[in-house]
């Protein structure tokens, strides 16, 4: 006879951490999408002063470089937030929901930094 053994249940700590880590990833993805689709100015839509060096928002390369720096910042905060959520979830499962808020704040700050 073949006996089917059920899959081992995930520990309570893993169940408590899965939601906050998923929320952190989703918020980070939304922040990066909003940054690139809505936040970064298009060089041809901005008024550029006739000064040297050219401000970052006046060239496509400058906008791209600024966007990459801000994306790196948001992703770094998201990585740290995921680690903190895992660590907090082992002891205080409800506190594990605080790191996604930090990613929200980082995304908001990055979006605000795109204003020339």
């Amino acid at each position: 006879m073949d006996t089917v053994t059920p899959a081992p249940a995930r520990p309570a700590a893993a169940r408590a951490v899965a939601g906050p880590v998923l929320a952190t990833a989703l918020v980070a993805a939304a922040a990066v999408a909003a940054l690139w689709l809505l936040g970064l100015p298009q060089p041809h839509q901005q008024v550029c002063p006739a000064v040297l060096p050219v401000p970052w928002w006046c060239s496509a390369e400058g906008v791209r470089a600024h966007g990459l720096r801000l994306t790196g910042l948001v992703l770094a905060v998201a990585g740290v937030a995921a680690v903190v959520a895992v660590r907090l979830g082992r002891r205080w499962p409800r506190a594990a929901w605080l790191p996604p808020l930090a990613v929200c704040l980082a995304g908001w700050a990055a979006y605000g930094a795109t204003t020339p």
Side-chain angles (χ1 to χ4, degrees), residues 24-105:
T24 300
L26 292 176
V27 168
V32 169
L35 178 70
W36 283 97
L37 297 176
L38 303 173
L40 291 171
Q42 299 298 319
H44 63 278
Q45 295 175 347
Q46 300 294 319
V47 175
C48 295
V51 296
L52 288 176
V54 178
W56 67 267
W57 63 86
C58 289
S59 67
E61 294 84 20
V63 170
R64 190 176 310 115
H66 192 67
L68 288 174
R69 282 191 298 270
L70 293 175
T71 300
L73 172 75
V74 170
L75 294 179
V77 169
V80 169
V83 170
V84 170
V86 168
R87 297 228 181 237
L88 283 177
R90 291 182 183 157
R91 288 187 174 212
W92 303 290
R94 289 186 183 173
W97 285 96
L98 293 176
L101 294 177
V103 178
C104 287
L105 292 176

Side-chain angles (χ1 to χ4, degrees), residues 2-34:
D2 291 331
T3 57
V4 178
T5 57
R10 291 188 338 194
R15 286 192 306 269
V17 169
V21 171
L22 179 63
T24 300
L26 292 176
V27 168
V32 169

